[in-house]
Amino acid sequence: METSDFITVLGREGRSLVSAAEEAGLDSEVPTCPGWQVRDLLLHVGRVHRWATRHVAERLTEPAGLPEDAVPDDRLGGWFRDGLHSLVGALDDASDGLRCWTFLPGAGDGRAFWARRQAHETTIHRIDAELAEGQALSPVDRDLAADGIDELLAGFHSRSRSRVRSPRPLTLRVRTIDGAASEVWTMRLTGREPSVSRGEEGAADCELSGPAELLYLALWNRLPHSGGLTVTGDADVLRLWREQSAIQ
């Protein structure tokens, strides 16, 4: 996907998120974010959008602190939309090759990184808002979902901060079965941060396969590892994933 595609996704998913949140009501529980109500979801994503905007617009080369805006309930929707608009505008105005702080391996230039990261941040939390509302989930584009699997596995869980650990070596394989060609990731779990490679390498203790959209939502722990997905091998590997893979 191109950077411009991620910016388009960010705007669309942000508008869908706030609409679903308003339909659900600010006091509604968010089942996929234990302890959160919808107002917490909007505050979190709105703060992250403003945080990302600062890095892009100000070309910050060191991490800024996450803002702690206190927003009254009656202004929350407008405040969220203002932040989304500012982030999309900052990314549209930024130049390719922008140098600013990023935080995932192989992030590339700042504009590409923040467009991609915020597209996925917003898409996953749009899912949360729809689940809080109790409505059917809007679809996730297949190419976006496949990219999001890659960002999660090869980006977030290649870092030392990943909490996915196993006292005995285990291998988890993830395979898409839709699209022009299958995409495969191999994740080796030990007592250290996971080692992730793209492609099929050696035997796997467990393989999770299915359409990219369902894999994306299952690996982000928004849907169960069932219902349209196939698990082969040791299902305890997936239980370990669900227990340890939440992003901090």
Side-chain angles (χ1 to χ4, degrees), residues 51 101 103-104 155-165 192-194 244-248:
W51 179 67
W101 180 75
F103 61 87
L104 292 182
F156 278 104
H157 286 291
S158 289
R159 303 185 302 169
S160 61
R161 291 182 62 181
S162 173
R163 297 183 301 114
V164 181
R165 301 282 195 274
R192 296 173 52 84
E193 66 268 19
Q244 299 183 1
S245 64
I247 301 301
Q248 301 296 306

Side-chain angles (χ1 to χ4, degrees), residues 11-79:
R12 181 185 69 236
E13 294 289 335
R15 291 187 293 272
S16 296
L17 190 164
V18 69
S19 294
E22 290 173 337
E23 286 291 325
L26 298 182
D27 293 329
S28 296
E29 301 293 327
V30 183
T32 40
C33 300
W36 277 16
Q37 295 178 314
V38 165
R39 66 170 52 80
D40 302 305
L41 181 66
L42 286 178
L43 281 167
H44 168 75
V45 182
R47 288 166 177 162
V48 169
H49 285 172
R50 285 163 169 78
W51 179 67
T53 300
R54 281 203 63 196
H55 291 93
V56 173
E58 300 177 31
R59 301 186 179 188
L60 299 181
T61 56
E62 296 293 332
L66 197 67
E68 298 183 1
D69 308 56
V71 187
D73 284 356
D74 61 352
R75 292 184 49 223
L76 194 49
W79 172 85

Side-chain angles (χ1 to χ4, degrees), residues 172-192:
L172 171 63
R173 180 162 294 131
V174 175
R175 184 189 307 273
T176 65
I177 61 170
D178 54 346
S182 176
E183 294 166 271
V184 182
W185 296 262
T186 301
M187 174 177 278
R188 301 191 183 282
L189 309 179
T190 64
R192 296 173 52 84

Side-chain angles (χ1 to χ4, degrees), residues 170-175 184-188 200-208 232-234 237:
L170 293 171
T171 301
L172 171 63
R173 180 162 294 131
V174 175
R175 184 189 307 273
V184 182
W185 296 262
T186 301
M187 174 177 278
R188 301 191 183 282
E200 188 167 342
E201 294 187 1
D205 295 286
C206 179
E207 179 171 309
L208 182 66
T232 55
D234 185 357
V237 180

Side-chain angles (χ1 to χ4, degrees), residues 10 48-49 52-53 56 82-92 118:
L10 167 62
V48 169
H49 285 172
T53 300
V56 173
D82 287 345
L84 175 66
H85 179 77
S86 294
L87 176 55
V88 169
L91 289 165
D92 276 335
Q118 292 310 302

